[in-house]
Amino acid sequence: MNGFMQTKLAILGIETSCDETAASVVLRHADGRGEILSNVVLSQLEEHRAYGGVVPEIAARAHVEALDTLIEEALLQSGHSLPELDGIAATAGPGLIGGLIVGLMTGKTIAMAAEKPLYAVNHLEGHALTARLTDGLSFPYLMLLVSGGHTQLILVKGVGAYERWGTTIDDALGEAFDKTAKLLGLPYPGGPAVEKAALAGDPKRFPLPRPLVGEARLDFSFSGLKTAVRQAATSIAPLGEQDIADICASFQHAVSRTLRDRIGRGLERFRSLHPSIDTPSLVVAGGVAANRVLRETLDGLCRDHGFRFIAPPHHLCTDNAAMIAWAGLERMAAGLPSDGLDVQPRSRWPLDAGAETLIGHGKRGAKA
Ligand code: KG4
Ligand code: ZN
């Protein structure tokens, strides 16, 4: 399928699936190049901090309060009015249902009023296609999504064509960071706090487990690691600052070794499937992609396997609406149909419909 539309297209994207309210206008040039005209994100971090995780009811209310203004702001910054747009794209899942209803309803209303096609976008597809917006990457490539709600290794074959090679069978990696932080009395969100504490720590002090290492399947598991962290902490309580640093460093070390094994196998599988691609790409996305140890691990792994490692800028790795607008643009440009106004939000919506449902997979609830 070539299908690339030879005209310039602009879409308004809306994202409300978790704790970021976001709106963005993205342009797709006739040659396929993407250009972000505006990208407004309002994080609800402060609203949820006191609870140590995302509270669905608070999230939904915050989306309702902020979304209209954010959309106005995104349009204003883009220099485009609604009639000048070619379509509306809103996240329809997976995620917290209250927030999804707010975003998708708003998208439908705008699409109807402005008589534009509506694209109900899978949030994971937004993450999966971002590297084409930022780096003009061509298909196929591998994508590792590591966020508070997801840990998935996905083969991206084309627009709408995804194969899930691995997913977590229990906690998401971001969730494991958040739970480890909570156990150690570090602030929410836990990832950045664990990374910071680990800087002064000894990664070899606690030999923590490396779940599923050595197994042929490409899935992940992090809940055992969290339990081992709890046991290590209990065994030496009360914890001093150095103990916390050592546990955090040991935790990151175990995560890094686990990922080396799991992703390394994924890279090998990609190679054997696509021997003609000289330098294939691994893309990382999701909030955990901010972690330096993780980036270095993936970067080193890619070098060892002759892969190119692509980490889009942090604000496009975490939840945003530019990726949703871009997913809509990709679908439109490929000539795929838009959605009817009766399309429903879905709290669970795997990218790869053929993939087996696993416990924990696709879960996006309280992240703590
Ligand atoms: O993609 P994201 O911003 O949001 C959702 O999942 O909705 O990811 C947030 C997750 C949290 O679990 C947070 O602790 C984790 O990403 N995170 C990190 C770092 N920064 C954020 N984990 C490890 N190291 C970091 N530097
Ligand atoms: Zn996300």
Side-chain angles (χ1 to χ4, degrees):
M1 173 186 65
N2 173 2
F4 285 126
M5 222 176 251
Q6 300 302 313
T7 56
K8 203 155 127 176
L9 300 169
I11 282 189
L12 165 72
I14 297 171
E15 159 62 35
T16 54
S17 69
C18 194
D19 58 344
E20 264 92 26
T21 318
S24 164
V25 177
V26 179
L27 200 63
R28 184 186 181 281
H29 291 277
D31 62 1
R33 212 166 25 90
E35 186 185 343
I36 299 174
L37 298 182
S38 63
N39 188 15
V40 191
V41 182
L42 182 71
S43 168
Q44 302 174 4
L45 200 58
E46 290 314 317
E47 279 91 330
H48 300 286
R49 198 189 293 280
Y51 305 93
V54 178
V55 184
E57 290 75 14
I58 295 179
R61 185 180 297 253
H63 288 306
V64 171
E65 282 167 6
L67 189 55
D68 287 2
T69 318
L70 253 73
I71 290 173
E72 258 177 58
E73 182 64 30
L75 287 169
L76 193 72
Q77 284 185 20
S78 77
H80 281 53
S81 62
L82 273 180
E84 289 167 332
L85 298 181
D86 298 289
I88 312 295
T91 305
L96 299 173
I97 196 71
L100 292 171
I101 291 172
V102 174
L104 187 57
M105 279 297 291
T106 306
K108 285 181 185 180
T109 312
I110 297 175
M112 192 169 74
E115 297 180 358
K116 304 289 175 188
L118 171 77
Y119 293 90
V121 170
N122 184 312
H123 178 88
L124 304 173
E125 179 164 46
H127 281 302
L129 297 175
T130 298
R132 288 170 51 77
L133 166 63
T134 56
D135 293 75
L137 203 57
S138 44
F139 299 121
Y141 55 88
L142 264 183
M143 198 235 353
L144 173 67
L145 174 61
V146 274
S147 68
H150 302 283
T151 304
Q152 301 196 2
L153 183 64
I154 291 168
L155 173 67
V156 184
K157 295 190 285 192
V159 182
Y162 310 96
E163 251 175 51
R164 195 190 74 201
W165 281 7
T167 186
T168 179
I169 57 171
D170 40 55
D171 293 347
L173 184 52
E175 211 177 347
F177 268 94
D178 292 337
K179 287 179 175 171
T180 294
K182 204 170 186 177
L183 262 160
L184 299 174
L186 297 174
Y188 171 84
V194 169
E195 176 168 27
K196 193 163 165 233
L199 288 174
D202 171 9
K204 301 265 162 65
R205 177 162 165 206
F206 299 96
L208 299 172
R210 286 136 198 208
L212 301 183
V213 162
E215 288 203 21
R217 64 196 278 209
L218 296 178
D219 290 324
F220 306 88
S221 163
F222 295 106
S223 78
L225 187 53
K226 168 199 68 197
T227 309
V229 164
R230 182 185 291 118
Q231 280 162 355
T234 320
S235 71
I236 56 160
L239 300 178
E241 210 172 301
Q242 190 58 51
D243 297 322
I244 292 178
D246 292 343
I247 293 178
C248 288
S250 303
F251 169 81
Q252 282 194 156
H253 184 62
V255 167
S256 158
R257 285 306 162 99
T258 305
L259 290 179
R260 265 197 85 83
D261 174 81
R262 312 281 68 219
I263 311 300
R265 281 167 196 271
L267 301 186
E268 278 164 21
R269 187 192 283 186
F270 189 99
R271 270 259 180 251
S272 62
L273 277 177
H274 299 285
S276 61
I277 303 180
D278 261 0
T279 314
S281 298
L282 172 73
V283 179
V284 70
V288 189
N291 187 284
R292 242 194 51 213
V293 172
L294 176 123
R295 278 181 184 237
E296 280 164 10
T297 301
L298 296 177
D299 197 25
L301 191 63
C302 281
R303 251 182 283 122
D304 293 350
H305 285 79
F307 273 60
R308 181 175 160 215
F309 176 56
I310 298 181
H314 183 61
H315 69 284
L316 294 176
C317 274
T318 54
D319 290 352
N320 65 87
M323 68 178 189
I324 304 304
W326 178 252
L329 284 166
E330 290 258 38
R331 272 170 59 181
M332 191 173 220
L336 296 174
S338 57
D339 291 288
L341 292 181
D342 55 348
V343 63
Q344 294 299 313
R346 301 169 62 178
S347 57
R348 279 177 181 265
W349 184 6
L351 247 196
D352 175 355
E356 169 198 12
T357 305
L358 291 172
I359 308 162
H361 152 252
K363 184 176 61 183
R364 298 194 91 205
K367 290 192 287 184

